[in-house]
């Protein structure tokens, strides 16, 4: 069933029938009198293998392929924009006809349908329905979404992040083919390149069908192969291409890969990034030509191309210097010519530790040509002729933790040190002097090949996740009178830091705040999405001036105004939050409380001070004392820049910092979860399933006084709290109470009033809510019908308070209403009947557990509320005035 073809050979002692049953076909079971006669059947076996795998003529292959073809995950992505209103019925019929031809069941084909225009919306996921009938019923009931403009790029990214995932039913990790069928009636208003590329890297086969209004080139770029892009004049003509598409989809099976002869390292690992680090100190002047020749001979063995092997050479003594980067040359000839022309650099002492750190931070980087994020093996080859004058252990460990394989060759003076630096002592060779390099070259190459043969290439999923590493970085700059002369140096420092970040819409986001007596945001995390725009603004920054220096107020300001969703913080998405403080003096106000508040929110704080700063104060502000750095003067900032960047990468990219782990664990294990259950007459039959659902959810939580807390509220006309967040401290008591719940009954259904009730009576400190401590607040609503009152105001209040609301509805509920109530439309799930709640439980649980960082609520001060009301009123007046003059507009 897995698609393995089995051949068996037995001796006279074997049971021939047993072997025939084991084999795919009786003819695949061979027999010999004694294993000494194996040569007599070897050719027959090899012929069978060749016939099956190479020529593909065996009927067995067809049978197995058929069995595997019947497991597919198929997602239909439908253009629901205004432009497709007339063609949408034809699109629905097309999907129905396609589904009719699939083998839908839990262990065969699975189907999902997503509709999009400005925003995408999943009608059902791959694991929502297990029968063809239910899928067809749901497709027949689809309504045209409408809206504009058409964001196809965002829709493609949505299906990657939300549909082709294990929690939504994708079986990609099991090797089940993943198929996306896109029907688009127009040209996208956003870029499709990144998402289309990600789909291909993940192995998702995308077929694109467009009408006359779509861009055929765009569809070809999106499709897995240009030949997978089809077109019709009008969607009413979809039946004309259906057979062609169906044949392609049904032909998608996991291909059997022919057994290959012995693989070389280059075949097994077709791409490598190789950096040579050469000791060019005074002690190697006479033997440098031998080192240079060695590099040439090794490079000759590589397959140098832009998409194959890449090479860089770095020389070092006191300092390191790059001769050329990984992306400098794309041909072997160019590399060899440059290596032949290398000149000995000279200098002393020999700082091998600094050189190792340098290649990690400046050469094994994307900007220098490293393809580490794509899963390409990273190799460092060190040639060292002497003992290092600085510490080698920390930078060597950092390289290894980054996944870089270190090989080394050392002379009699450095061989032990090189063994410590290498990933494994067998990766290090020892010689008397570098003129002996030819004698160990073959042994070195064998060691390299053996190591590469054991490298497991990074899967597309992991590579994609690595590339999606994201950070929200805020720079808080001391702009007081005392920094007037050093402000240009601070500004240059921020520019250099930004240069090394991956600033983009889906990558790193940056904000800059300057302060003295009062803070001022120059731009927020969501102001710019391009590195060029950030750098342009930075170059134009003017010194603020003023006194005294209120660092505490500035810290509180960034917490309340910058690390917020409205300012672009992606804290609720789990994106790491980072604050870099540059301060030149002691604060005139208290820093303890605002610094603690930032840390509780999950922000990691790094601080850099000058001789005028209070080092203890900066250490208190930082998450760890080691995160507080100091310089004599801000003109010396370049000297600590690398150390800061290393700390950031260690914490956020490799995740090796215990601080990150501790903060994340602390946040994950503290949640306040409220279940709001529809107890109206309409849910009488479904209520036992709702109770079981709550029990299963609670079973998965970590309930205790200092971990997760749970409350259950039931409502119909009126809401009623069965127990509050602080009522029970153990999971057992909660489960006992849930088991004893009785259906409330009553009508009509007032969901708006129930939402307001949980705001006023459950998400409060007196009822056990720990919202003011930064503990995530989660509301899970189960509703079986449409509300008889308005839900808008209460839903808005929940969002303003930072409460993450998930809505689950049955066929009787209003999906749009649930989406408005939910914190994000993606948090609204649906089932045909509450008996199907187990189908969405895993998806919900994954979302709830992913909530590890609290959303910053809007300020609850009276002044803040009054200002908000006044602002909204003025906006309404303004809009009314504009509408009265629309013709002039």
């Amino acid at each position: 069933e897995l698609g393995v073809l089995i051949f068996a050979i037995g001796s006279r002692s074997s049971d021939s029938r047993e072997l025939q049953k084991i084999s795919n076909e009786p003819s695949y079971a061979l027999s010999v009198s004694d294993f000494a006669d194996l040569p007599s059947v070897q050719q027959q076996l090899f012929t069978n293998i060749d016939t099956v795998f190479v020529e593909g003529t065996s009927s067995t292959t067809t049978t197995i392929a058929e069995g595997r073809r019947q497991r597919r995950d198929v997602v239909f992505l439908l253009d629901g924009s205004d432009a497709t209103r007339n063609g949408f019925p034809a699109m629905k019929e097309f999907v129905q006809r396609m589904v009719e031809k699939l083998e839908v069941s839990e262990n065969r084909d699975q189907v999902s349908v997503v509709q999009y225009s400005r925003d995408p919306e999943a009608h059902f996921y791959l694991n929502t329905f297990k029968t063809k009938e239910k899928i067809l019923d749901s497709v027949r009931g689809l309504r045209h979404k409408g809206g504009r403009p058409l964001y196809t790029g965002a829709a493609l990214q949505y299906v990657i992040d939300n549909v082709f995932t294990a929690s939504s039913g994708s079986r990609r990790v099991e090797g089940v083919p993943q198929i996306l069928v896109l029907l688009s009636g127009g040209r996208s208003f956003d870029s499709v390149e990144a998402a289309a590329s990600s789909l291909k890297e993940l192995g998702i086969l995308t077929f694109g069908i467009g009408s006359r209004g779509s861009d055929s080139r765009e569809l070809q770029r999106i499709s897995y192969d240009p030949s997978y892009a089809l077109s019709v004049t009008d969607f009413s003509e979809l039946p004309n291409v259906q057979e062609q598409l169906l044949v392609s989809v049904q032909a998608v099976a996991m291909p059997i890969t022919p057994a290959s002869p012995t693989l070389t390292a280059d075949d097994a690992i077709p791409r490598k990034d190789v950096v040579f680090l050469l000791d060019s100190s005074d002690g190697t002047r006479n033997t440098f030509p031998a080192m240079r020749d060695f590099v040439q001979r090794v490079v000759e063995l590589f397959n140098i191309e832009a998409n194959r092997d890449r090479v860089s050479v770095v020389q070092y003594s006191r300092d390191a210097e790059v001769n050329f980067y990984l992306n400098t040359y794309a041909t072997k000839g160019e590399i060899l010519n440059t290596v032949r022309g290398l000149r000995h650099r000279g200098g002393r002492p020999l700082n091998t530790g600094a050189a190792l750190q340098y290649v990690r931070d400046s050469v094994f980087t994307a900007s220098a040509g490293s393809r580490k994020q794509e899963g390409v093996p990273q190799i460092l080859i060190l040639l060292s002729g002497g003992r290092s004058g600085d510490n080698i252990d920390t930078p060597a460990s950092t390289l290894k933790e980054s996944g870089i394989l270190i090989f080394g060759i050392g002379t009699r003076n450095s061989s032990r040190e090189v063994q410590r630096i290498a990933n494994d002592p067998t990766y290090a060779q020892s010689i008397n002097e570098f003129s002996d390099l030819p004698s160990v070259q073959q042994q070195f190459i064998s060691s390299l090949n053996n190591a590469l043969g054991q490298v497991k290439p990074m899967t597309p999923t992991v590579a994609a996740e690595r590339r999606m590493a994201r950070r929200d970085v805020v720079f808080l700059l001391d702009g007081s009178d005392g920094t007037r002369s050093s402000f240009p140096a601070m500004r240059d420092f921020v520019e250099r830091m930004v240069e090394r970040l991956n600033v983009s819409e889906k990558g790193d986001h940056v904000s800059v705040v300057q302060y003295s007596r009062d803070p001022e945001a120059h731009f927020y995390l969501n102001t710019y999405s391009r590195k060029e725009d950030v750098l342009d603004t930075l170059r134009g920054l003017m010194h603020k001036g003023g006194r005294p220096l209120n660092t505490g107020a500035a810290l509180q300001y960034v917490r309340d105004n910058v690390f917020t969703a409205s300012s672009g913080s992606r804290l609720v998405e789990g994106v790491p939050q980072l604050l870099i403080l540059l301060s030149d003096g002691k604060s005139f106000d208290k820093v303890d409380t605002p610094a603690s508040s930032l840390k509780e929110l999950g922000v990691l704080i790094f601080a850099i001070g000058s001789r005028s700063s209070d080092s203890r104060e900066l250490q208190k502000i930082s998450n760890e004392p080691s995160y507080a750095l100091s310089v004599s003067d801000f003109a010396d900032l370049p000297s600590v820049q690398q150390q800061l960047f290393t700390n950031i990468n260690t914490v956020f990219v490799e995740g090796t910092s215990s601080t990150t782990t501790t903060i994340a664990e602390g946040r994950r294990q503290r949640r306040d979860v409220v279940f709001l259950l529809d107890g109206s007459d309409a849910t009488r039959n479904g209520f036992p399933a709702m109770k079981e659902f709550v029990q299963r959810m609670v079973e998965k939580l970590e309930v205790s006084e200092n971990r997760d807390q749970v409350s259950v509220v039931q409502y119909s006309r009126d809401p009623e709290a069965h127990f509050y967040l602080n009522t029970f401290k153990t999971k057992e008591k909660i489960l006992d109470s849930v088991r004893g719940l009785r259906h409330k009954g009553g009508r009509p259904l007032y969901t708006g009033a129930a939402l307001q009730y949980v705001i006023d009576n459950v998400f409060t400190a007196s009822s056990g809510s720990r919202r003011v401590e930064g503990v995530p607040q989660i509301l899970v609503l189960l509703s079986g019908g449409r509300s008889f009152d308005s839900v808008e105001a209460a839903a808005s209040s929940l969002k303003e308070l930072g409460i993450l609301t998930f809505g689950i509805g049955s066929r009787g509920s209003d999906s749009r209403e649930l989406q408005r109530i939910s914190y994000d439309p993606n948090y609204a799930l649906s089932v045909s009947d509450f008996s199907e709640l187990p189908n969405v439980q895993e998806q919900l649980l994954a979302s709830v557990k992913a909530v590890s960082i609290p959303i910053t609520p809007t300020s609850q001060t009276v002044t803040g509320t009054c200002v908000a009301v006044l602002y909204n009123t003025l906006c309404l007046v303004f809009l009314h005035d504009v509408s009265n003059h629309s013709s002039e507009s």
Side-chain angles (χ1 to χ4, degrees):
E1 286 172 1
L2 188 64
V4 178
L5 270 85
I6 310 173
F7 298 81
I9 306 176
S11 69
R12 71 163 69 89
S13 307
S14 314
D15 181 339
S16 60
R17 290 186 182 179
E18 180 179 83
L19 292 181
Q20 287 175 354
K21 282 197 293 187
I22 291 171
S23 302
N24 288 74
E25 286 191 6
S27 63
Y28 292 176
L30 307 176
S31 150
V32 290
S33 298
D34 187 86
F35 282 134
D37 296 329
L38 280 170
S40 66
V41 297
Q42 185 170 332
Q43 189 54 50
Q44 186 179 349
L45 173 65
F46 209 85
T47 300
N48 283 346
I49 291 172
D50 277 352
T51 302
V52 173
F53 285 123
V54 179
E55 286 139 35
T57 57
S58 169
S59 60
T60 305
T61 311
T62 309
T63 305
I64 290 175
E66 284 297 325
R68 289 175 307 179
R69 275 191 204 119
Q70 291 165 353
R71 294 184 77 207
R72 288 170 294 242
D73 292 338
V74 184
V75 178
F76 292 93
L77 179 58
L78 310 181
D79 175 352
S81 66
D82 291 345
T84 64
R85 191 170 303 279
N86 295 331
F88 193 71
M91 293 163 75
K92 284 205 304 180
E93 287 174 16
F94 173 81
V95 174
Q96 289 176 64
R97 287 192 303 269
M98 289 292 292
V99 172
E100 283 285 5
K101 299 289 188 180
L102 297 175
E103 294 290 329
V104 177
S105 74
E106 190 165 3
N107 293 317
R108 293 293 182 85
D109 297 332
Q110 295 185 158
V111 176
S112 166
V113 173
V114 179
Q115 195 182 162
Y116 79 102
S117 52
R118 173 187 288 273
D119 304 304
E121 173 190 352
H123 292 292
F124 53 89
Y125 295 92
L126 290 164
N127 56 3
T128 303
F129 300 125
K130 303 302 180 191
T131 68
K132 187 180 291 186
E133 292 68 28
K134 289 189 175 178
I135 291 173
L136 290 172
D137 284 345
S138 183
V139 173
R140 288 186 198 105
L142 288 184
R143 294 188 177 181
H144 186 256
K145 176 181 172 65
R148 58 192 173 92
L150 187 69
Y151 288 137
T152 306
L156 295 172
Q157 192 61 49
Y158 175 87
V159 295
I160 292 170
D161 298 335
N162 299 280
V163 185
F164 286 113
T165 61
S167 60
S168 295
S170 167
R171 298 165 294 178
R172 185 167 58 81
V173 294
E174 300 172 35
V176 174
Q178 308 288 287
I179 298 163
L180 175 64
V181 179
L182 166 68
L183 274 73
S184 173
R187 185 171 184 175
S188 179
F189 274 70
D190 62 350
S191 171
V192 301
E193 303 295 342
S197 187
S198 295
L199 283 163
K200 290 168 188 170
E201 287 167 1
L202 290 169
I204 295 165
L205 271 80
T206 306
F207 297 83
I209 304 177
S211 68
R212 72 163 68 88
S214 53
D215 182 339
S216 60
R217 291 187 182 177
E218 182 177 86
L219 280 178
Q220 287 175 351
R221 288 200 302 273
I222 292 169
S223 299
Y224 189 81
D225 186 90
S227 64
Y228 289 1
L230 310 173
S231 71
V232 289
T233 305
D234 188 83
F235 284 128
S236 61
E237 295 181 4
L238 281 168
N240 297 344
V241 297
Q242 181 175 329
E243 197 56 43
Q244 184 179 349
L245 176 65
L246 192 63
V247 169
S248 298
V249 168
Q250 290 187 336
V252 174
M254 294 167 285
I256 303 173
T257 307
S260 172
T262 307
L263 297 175
T264 67
D266 262 336
D267 289 325
I269 305 292
R271 301 188 293 171
K272 302 183 287 287
D273 291 340
V274 184
V275 177
F276 291 89
L277 180 59
L278 310 180
D279 172 357
S280 64
S281 62
D282 289 346
T284 63
R285 188 173 303 279
N286 296 331
T287 53
F288 188 74
M291 295 165 71
R292 191 174 55 204
D293 292 343
F294 173 81
V295 174
Q296 286 181 67
R297 289 192 301 270
V298 174
V299 169
E300 282 282 5
L301 299 173
F302 291 154
N303 185 6
I304 308 292
E305 287 177 18
N307 292 319
R308 297 296 296 269
D309 297 334
R310 292 181 181 177
V311 173
S312 168
V313 172
V314 180
Q315 285 188 62
Y316 79 101
S317 52
R318 173 192 292 272
D319 303 305
E321 178 184 340
V322 175
N323 290 108
F324 55 91
Y325 293 95
L326 290 163
N327 56 2
T328 303
Y329 301 124
T331 68
K332 188 181 289 187
E334 290 173 312
I335 292 172
L336 291 173
N337 284 338
T338 305
V339 171
R340 289 186 197 103
L342 288 182
R343 295 190 177 180
H344 186 259
R345 188 167 180 269
R348 58 192 172 93
L350 185 69
N351 291 331
T352 306
L356 293 171
Q357 192 63 46
Y358 177 84
V359 294
R360 181 195 184 280
D361 298 331
S362 302
V363 184
F364 286 113
T365 62
S367 59
S370 166
R371 296 165 294 176
K372 180 186 169 199
Q373 305 292 10
E374 299 173 33
V376 175
Q378 308 289 286
I379 298 159
L380 175 65
I381 299 174
L382 167 68
L383 275 70
S384 173
R387 191 168 180 177
S388 178
D390 62 353
N391 179 275
I392 60 166
D393 295 316
T394 302
S397 293
T398 307
L399 279 164
K400 293 168 191 172
E401 288 167 1
S402 298
I404 293 163
L405 285 168
I406 310 174
F407 296 81
I409 301 178
T411 63
R412 67 171 75 91
N413 298 322
S414 61
S415 59
R416 288 189 180 179
E417 196 171 81
V418 170
Q419 284 182 344
R420 270 169 45 207
I421 292 170
N423 289 70
D424 187 276
T426 61
Y427 292 1
Q429 312 291 329
S430 176
I431 51 178
N432 287 326
E433 56 184 40
F434 286 124
S435 58
D436 296 331
L437 277 168
S439 65
V440 296
Q441 181 174 323
Q442 191 54 50
Q443 186 180 349
F444 176 82
I445 294 297
S446 296
S447 176
L448 176 62
N449 281 346
N450 289 337
L452 281 174
Q454 296 169 21
V455 170
K456 293 182 179 178
M458 192 184 298
T459 64
T461 306
V462 176
E465 286 171 358
R466 290 276 182 90
R467 281 196 302 277
M468 290 300 289
R470 302 179 293 168
R471 292 165 293 211
D472 290 339
V473 186
V474 178
F475 293 92
L476 180 58
L477 310 180
D478 175 353
S480 64
D481 290 344
T483 63
R484 190 171 303 280
S485 59
S486 55
F487 189 73
M490 295 164 71
R491 189 174 56 207
D492 292 346
F493 171 81
V494 176
E495 283 184 50
R496 288 191 302 270
M497 289 294 292
V498 170
E499 281 282 9
R500 300 182 65 174
L501 295 174
N502 178 26
V503 179
S504 68
E505 189 171 357
K506 302 219 177 258
D508 298 328
H509 289 184
V510 176
S511 168
V512 172
V513 179
Q514 196 181 163
Y515 79 102
S516 51
R517 173 191 291 271
D518 303 304
E520 174 190 350
H522 291 292
F523 52 91
Y524 295 95
L525 291 163
N526 56 1
T527 304
Y528 302 122
S529 59
R530 298 189 324 133
K531 185 182 289 187
E532 295 73 19
D533 295 333
V534 174
L535 292 171
D536 284 346
T537 305
L538 282 172
R539 294 182 190 108
L541 281 190
M542 307 280 283
H543 185 256
K544 175 181 170 62
R547 59 195 172 93
L549 186 68
N550 291 331
T551 306
L555 293 171
Q556 192 62 46
Y557 175 85
V558 294
R559 186 200 186 283
D560 296 337
N561 299 278
V562 184
F563 286 114
T564 62
S566 60
S567 295
S569 167
R570 296 165 294 177
L571 204 139
V572 295
E573 300 172 35
V575 174
Q577 308 289 289
L578 169 64
L579 175 64
I580 299 173
L581 167 68
L582 274 72
S583 174
D584 191 40
K586 185 169 182 175
S587 179
F588 274 70
D589 61 353
K590 296 283 187 185
V591 300
D592 302 63
T593 302
S596 294
S597 181
L598 278 164
K599 292 168 191 172
E600 286 170 4
L601 188 64
V603 177
L604 268 84
I605 311 172
F606 296 81
I608 305 177
S610 68
R611 68 164 70 89
S612 308
S613 311
D614 182 337
S615 60
R616 290 187 182 178
E617 180 178 86
L618 293 180
Q619 287 175 353
K620 278 197 298 186
I621 291 171
S622 302
N623 288 72
E624 287 190 6
S626 62
Y627 292 175
L629 308 175
S630 75
V631 289
S632 299
D633 186 84
F634 281 136
D636 296 328
L637 280 169
S639 65
V640 296
Q641 182 171 332
Q642 192 50 58
Q643 187 177 348
L644 174 64
F645 209 84
T646 300
N647 284 344
I648 292 171
N649 280 344
T650 301
V651 172
F652 287 123
V653 179
E654 274 90 53
T656 55
S657 169
S658 58
T659 307
T660 310
T661 308
T662 305
I663 290 174
E665 282 300 317
R667 289 176 303 181
R668 271 192 206 111
Q669 294 168 351
R670 298 181 75 203
R671 288 172 293 244
D672 292 340
V673 185
V674 178
F675 293 94
L676 179 58
L677 311 180
D678 175 353
S680 65
D681 291 345
T683 63
R684 191 171 302 280
N685 294 332
F687 194 70
M690 294 164 76
K691 284 204 306 179
E692 287 174 16
F693 174 79
V694 174
Q695 289 177 64
R696 287 191 302 269
M697 288 291 293
V698 171
E699 283 284 5
K700 300 289 186 179
L701 298 176
E702 294 289 329
V703 177
S704 73
E705 190 165 3
N706 293 318
R707 296 288 182 84
D708 297 331
Q709 294 185 158
V710 176
S711 167
V712 173
V713 179
Q714 195 182 163
Y715 79 103
S716 53
R717 174 187 289 272
D718 304 305
E720 173 191 349
H722 290 293
F723 53 90
Y724 295 93
L725 290 164
N726 56 2
T727 304
F728 301 125
K729 304 300 181 190
T730 67
K731 187 180 290 186
E732 292 69 28
K733 289 188 176 179
I734 292 173
L735 291 172
D736 284 344
S737 183
V738 173
R739 287 185 198 104
L741 288 184
R742 295 190 175 181
H743 186 255
K744 176 180 171 62
R747 58 192 172 94
L749 187 69
Y750 288 138
T751 306
L755 295 173
Q756 193 60 50
Y757 175 85
V758 295
I759 292 170
D760 298 335
N761 298 279
V762 185
F763 286 113
T764 60
S766 60
S767 295
S769 167
R770 298 165 293 178
R771 185 168 59 83
V772 293
E773 300 171 36
V775 174
Q777 308 289 287
I778 299 163
L779 174 64
V780 180
L781 165 68
L782 275 72
S783 172
R786 186 170 185 173
S787 180
F788 274 72
D789 64 348
S790 172
V791 300
E792 303 295 341
S796 247
S797 297
L798 284 164
K799 290 167 188 171
E800 286 168 3
L801 289 168
I803 295 165
L804 269 82
T805 307
F806 297 83
I808 305 177
S810 68
R811 70 165 67 89
S813 52
D814 182 339
S815 60
R816 291 189 181 178
E817 181 177 87
L818 281 177
Q819 288 175 352
R820 288 200 301 273
I821 292 170
S822 300
Y823 187 82
D824 185 272
N826 297 330
Y827 291 178
L829 310 173
S830 73
V831 290
S832 296
D833 188 84
F834 285 128
S835 61
E836 293 184 3
L837 281 169
N839 296 345
V840 297
Q841 181 178 329
E842 200 55 48
Q843 185 178 348
L844 175 66
L845 192 65
S847 298
V848 168
K849 286 193 170 180
V851 176
S852 54
I853 310 173
I855 304 173
T856 308
T858 53
S859 175
Q860 292 304 299
T861 61
V862 175
T863 306
T865 305
C866 291
V867 169
V869 171
L870 176 59
Y871 174 76
N872 289 337
T873 305
L874 288 172
C875 284
L876 288 171
V877 171
F878 172 73
L879 290 170
H880 181 266
D881 187 54
V882 169
S883 68
N884 287 337
H885 295 83
S886 58
S887 59
E888 294 175 20
S889 301

